[in-house]
Amino acid sequence: MPLPFFYARATTFYEKLIYDLDLIVDLASVKNNLTNTRSGFSFIKHPNNGLVNAYLDLLIKAYTTRYKRLFRENRWDWEVIFSYYAKAKGLDEMLLGELFIIYLTRHHKAKRSNNREFYIMRFLPARLSRVIYKYFVYLRLFLNIL
């Protein structure tokens, strides 16, 4: 799938799920620790990022919005929730089945000659990275509580 087409589809899916929440993302300021191998650790849990509870902004927006609100008349609107979840699953399959913000490739061809492996880090374009970042910080955690 060509990258511009993929970006356009991912953005369309994402915008339908975020309830017009205005999220400004500065990817250059996001901290991560690639050497931390503890289970469950990610850039979301890095203390300098302050993202552990960021998904609650989306929860409040989904609860208080007028259009396709998930909670209506003092009860959950299951039809809207299941529809929302199906759309999110489509975005999930698209993002996780295609690309990552940063991906590492381990090369071991030189190991025989110098007894070392080396790693190559590759980055996605900034526009697509922002969509994927927002997906992991807001949508994935929000979907976990639905």
Side-chain angles (χ1 to χ4, degrees):
M1 178 180 316
L3 195 56
F5 177 72
F6 177 81
Y7 171 74
R9 278 192 61 207
T11 302
T12 301
F13 266 87
Y14 172 77
E15 287 173 353
K16 289 178 183 175
L17 296 169
I18 204 67
Y19 286 101
D20 297 322
L21 192 63
D22 188 24
L23 305 171
I24 298 169
V25 175
D26 179 16
L27 292 176
S29 68
V30 176
K31 305 287 186 230
N32 199 359
N33 184 353
L34 295 176
T35 61
N36 187 339
T37 58
R38 286 182 303 176
S39 177
F41 182 80
S42 73
F43 71 93
I44 295 170
K45 293 184 180 178
H46 194 289
N48 293 353
N49 294 332
L51 298 172
V52 172
N53 293 320
Y55 70 95
L56 294 176
D57 295 337
L58 179 57
L59 177 64
I60 291 167
K61 188 75 169 180
Y63 183 80
T64 59
T65 191
R66 291 178 180 233
Y67 178 72
K68 297 222 178 202
R69 185 167 35 185
L70 301 181
F71 193 83
R72 248 180 246 248
E73 299 170 6
N74 295 323
R75 65 178 184 81
W76 291 104
D77 187 337
W78 292 108
E79 183 177 328
V80 175
I81 289 173
F82 290 138
S83 171
Y84 183 92
Y85 196 76
K87 289 175 192 167
K89 185 130 174 89
L91 181 62
D92 195 22
E93 291 169 356
M94 187 185 314
L95 293 179
L96 298 179
E98 296 288 331
L99 301 168
F100 296 94
I101 294 176
I102 297 173
Y103 56 98
L104 297 173
T105 306
R106 183 176 71 172
H107 287 277
H108 51 83
K109 291 180 181 179
K111 191 170 183 176
R112 288 186 182 177
S113 62
N114 65 13
N115 201 26
R116 284 191 227 157
E117 298 175 337
F118 64 94
Y119 295 86
I120 296 177
M121 184 179 296
R122 294 188 170 102
F123 298 87
L124 294 178
R127 290 186 338 176
L128 183 57
S129 295
R130 283 187 190 92
V131 172
I132 294 173
Y133 169 89
K134 292 173 185 177
Y135 168 79
F136 281 121
V137 171
Y138 293 93
L139 285 175
R140 279 306 320 149
L141 298 172
F142 175 65
L143 289 169
N144 288 343
I145 63 169
L146 284 183

